[in-house]
Amino acid sequence: MAVNTIDAKMLAKMFLAGAKNLESRKEWINELNVFPVPDGDTGTNMTLTIMSAAKDVAAMEANNDLDMQSLAKAISSGSLRGARGNSGVILSQLFRGFTKTIRESETIDIPLLAQAFERAVETAYKAVMKPKEGTILTVAKGASLKARELADAGETDLEKYIGAIIEHADYVLSQTPEMLPVLKQAGVVDSGGQGLMQVLKGAYEAFLGKEVDFKLEDGRGAAGAPFSSIGAQPQAEADIKFGYCTEFIIMLNRTFNIKQEMDFKAYLESIGDSIVVVADEDVVKVHVHTNDPGLAIQKALKYGALSNMKIDNMRLEHHEKVIRMSQQAEGTQAAGPAAGESAAQSASEPDARKESGFIAVSVGEGMNAILKDLGVDYIIEGGQTMNPSTEDVLNAIDQVNADTIYVLPNNKNIILAANQARYMTEDKKIVVVPTKTIAQGITAVINFSADLSAEENEAAMTEAIGAVKTGEVTYAVRDTMIDDYEIRQGDFMGIGDDGILAVGQAVESVALSMIDRMMEEDLELISIYYGQETKEEEAEALREKVEEKYPACDVELQYGGQPIYYYIVSVE
């Protein structure tokens, strides 16, 4: 018998199965990175993004607290907070558009599903300033077009419908190398598109009734961030950490936006675990395990009156379902700090609010020190190997007490997440300067003037970074062909703003060749930042050779301490 609707319970299972399928294949997706550098992180970014929502969905499912509206909210807000990297931000926007369409319905049929696909794609394309075809966006659009075509043709069987969409989207993915020559030359399909396909395929398997183990291994991804455990263990295997299961509904009498929701959740996490916060326009459903329910209640009263209050002593009752949730959330609490957290480097809250402040993404003790010396208030640890999330940027914004805050992503894969944080901030003016490298970030800070307005500074800094060329020397992790260079595993590569500039067997010769390719007649300054794997005497030898070859230029050498990259070089 044909199935023609999806309810909230089924959608939750499909979402969790999609998350699990993506997580299980994240390293494979990472390896699809076009450049064969040791920082391919698309699979990790997409996994961390979806896991941010999956832990809330799993908790709701375990508590049998599922309806379409609360589920849609959990998927949208969770992925929005956890979004990392361009692929993760785009995935979160796909979920955002999809859930906006289905949240008011009790069940999803084929016409509604087609609308949801269309709105997902529309929302994701709007989030990207210059959408590029041959990417995850193209795969999503292909799925959407097929969904509309089949819906208009009168298809009523969801199994056939979803299967045909996935088959077509797979075909679109296979064509991405024909749309982007760089993919074709590297012999790979788009990694973000492949990540999206794994989410869709996992969801489809759950729809077909395949039993999926939703438990995720308690481990760390390439970004060094924990993965939340969705699985549940019998409570008999562990003591109950927080004894009171506390539930209530807040009848809102003040604004409760995404930012305030995140702050409220952060407070609950400081006093308990197994937290579920689902906000609607007028009410907020709250669930938390804590040893002091009064603290949760007092905090909630700041947002409105409380109703439907329920407090159970879990140590006495040992109800099986509540026990599963407690153990599940306890696994999350045991995990280490997330990528992007940098408590040791965060600036303390200033005594008085100031006009302007700076946040920069950086990695390496030398780079961090340079930025701090230039006046950056808060350093978010991250970059190529560990893209900070939208929530990491929001947390940093909270720590800087300034009317206007300039955010320097210093990586093209972090700009979207920074912009997403900007849209979610209401009490401060956030200016995201689109710096793609730390060298550009340094130039941006140097060109800031306290005498100019925020708009004037943004224009001045953006113009200044446009004059900076950056090159980075690293090593290849696999054989490939790109930019007409035949690259072997273990080769050293000099990568510029627009592609490979040099390949060779020795770090110094590759660095010199890269700099040669970067130079133009009117350039005056060459800045060399050497990494943690480079000896000072080696860096000094490189500087001397560069000075000898370009006597008209000032050549500066500084310790960056960055991992993976032996040298980062800027010319301007």
Side-chain angles (χ1 to χ4, degrees), residues 4-269:
N4 53 22
T5 60
I6 297 172
D7 60 12
K9 184 176 181 180
M10 173 56 74
L11 183 61
K13 289 185 179 297
M14 293 172 69
F15 180 77
L16 293 176
K20 173 62 179 177
N21 199 47
L22 174 62
E23 190 275 340
S24 68
R25 290 166 171 78
K26 66 179 182 295
E27 293 302 337
W28 170 55
I29 294 169
N30 284 342
E31 292 174 1
L32 294 176
N33 188 28
V34 170
F35 289 103
V37 293
D39 62 4
D41 49 13
T42 299
T44 299
N45 283 338
M46 295 182 74
T47 297
L48 292 173
T49 297
I50 201 170
M51 287 305 147
S52 182
K55 64 180 182 180
D56 290 341
V57 173
M60 292 168 64
E61 185 185 51
N63 198 36
N64 198 25
D65 187 25
L66 284 171
D67 59 75
M68 197 67 78
Q69 190 169 65
S70 59
L71 176 61
K73 178 69 173 178
I75 292 173
S76 179
S77 62
S79 59
L80 193 71
R81 295 192 313 270
R84 298 171 187 265
N86 292 344
S87 55
V89 171
I90 292 171
L91 183 64
S92 74
Q93 292 297 319
L94 288 169
F95 288 144
R96 182 185 177 208
F98 185 93
T99 54
K100 277 186 177 181
T101 304
I102 57 97
R103 63 185 178 185
E104 301 296 335
S105 304
E106 292 185 5
T107 60
I108 305 170
D109 58 13
I110 285 177
L112 184 61
L113 197 54
Q115 293 176 31
F117 268 104
E118 289 173 335
R119 190 163 186 181
V121 171
E122 178 185 355
T123 304
Y125 266 85
K126 285 181 178 179
V128 181
M129 185 173 295
K130 295 181 180 179
K132 182 183 293 185
E133 298 304 333
T135 66
I136 181 176
L137 291 170
T138 305
V139 177
K141 182 169 66 175
S144 174
L145 291 173
K146 192 65 176 180
R148 170 52 59 196
E149 174 191 330
L150 295 171
D152 290 346
E155 180 62 69
T156 58
D157 186 334
L158 268 172
E159 179 177 334
K160 293 180 181 178
Y161 181 73
I162 300 174
I165 291 171
I166 290 177
E167 182 180 356
H168 181 71
D170 244 343
Y171 169 75
V172 174
L173 175 64
S174 73
Q175 297 303 299
T176 54
E178 304 302 322
M179 305 175 203
L180 284 177
V182 68
L183 294 175
K184 188 170 187 177
Q185 191 171 38
V188 296
V189 296
D190 178 68
S191 55
Q194 186 65 268
L196 177 60
M197 288 310 305
Q198 299 315 308
V199 175
L200 293 175
K201 289 177 179 179
Y204 187 44
E205 288 183 347
F207 176 80
L208 295 176
K210 180 178 179 180
E211 290 296 324
V212 179
D213 178 11
F214 295 138
K215 181 181 177 182
L216 302 183
E217 294 182 5
D218 183 17
R220 294 176 181 271
F227 294 109
S228 302
S229 174
I230 290 182
Q233 299 291 334
Q235 184 62 33
E237 297 178 8
D239 295 329
I240 298 175
K241 184 177 180 181
F242 297 102
Y244 295 95
C245 176
T246 306
E247 298 178 80
F248 51 81
I249 292 177
I250 308 174
M251 312 299 291
L252 293 172
N253 59 18
R254 55 171 288 189
T255 303
F256 194 79
N257 55 32
I258 292 177
K259 177 66 168 54
Q260 289 163 325
E261 179 182 340
M262 291 170 58
D263 290 343
F264 183 55
K265 278 190 175 182
Y267 175 78
L268 294 180
E269 287 172 354

Side-chain angles (χ1 to χ4, degrees), residues 244-413:
Y244 295 95
C245 176
T246 306
E247 298 178 80
F248 51 81
I249 292 177
I250 308 174
M251 312 299 291
L252 293 172
N253 59 18
R254 55 171 288 189
T255 303
F256 194 79
N257 55 32
I258 292 177
K259 177 66 168 54
Q260 289 163 325
E261 179 182 340
M262 291 170 58
D263 290 343
F264 183 55
K265 278 190 175 182
Y267 175 78
L268 294 180
E269 287 172 354
S270 72
I271 63 170
D273 67 5
S274 194
I275 295 156
V276 179
V277 176
V278 180
D280 197 356
E281 292 183 1
D282 302 314
V283 300
V284 180
K285 290 174 152 183
V286 180
H287 174 281
V288 59
H289 293 176
T290 178
N291 286 326
D292 193 338
L295 293 177
I297 291 170
Q298 289 173 21
K299 187 71 172 180
L301 284 170
K302 294 182 179 181
Y303 298 101
L306 306 186
S307 68
N308 292 38
M309 299 179 64
K310 180 172 173 285
I311 300 174
D312 293 326
N313 187 329
M314 296 187 296
R315 293 190 176 95
L316 296 178
E317 295 185 5
H318 282 269
H319 188 282
E320 183 180 354
K321 188 178 299 180
V322 176
I323 285 170
R324 285 201 306 269
M325 289 181 60
S326 178
Q327 177 61 23
Q328 172 199 22
E330 193 166 343
T332 301
Q333 291 289 319
E341 291 182 356
S342 182
Q345 295 184 7
S346 65
S348 59
E349 188 75 10
D351 293 333
R353 194 174 179 100
K354 56 184 182 178
E355 289 187 8
S356 302
F358 278 88
I359 295 169
V361 179
S362 177
V363 62
E365 58 180 320
M367 289 296 195
N368 296 345
I370 292 169
L371 289 165
K372 295 289 273 186
D373 288 344
L374 289 172
V376 171
D377 300 275
Y378 192 102
I379 301 293
I380 303 176
E381 282 281 359
Q384 282 294 90
T385 56
M386 48 179 179
N387 295 157
S389 68
T390 296
E391 189 165 13
D392 291 327
V393 180
L394 285 168
N395 290 338
I397 289 171
D398 279 343
Q399 295 297 316
V400 179
N401 193 15
D403 294 326
T404 300
I405 300 175
Y406 299 88
V407 179
L408 309 173
N410 295 339
N411 187 296
K412 65 182 180 181
N413 210 32

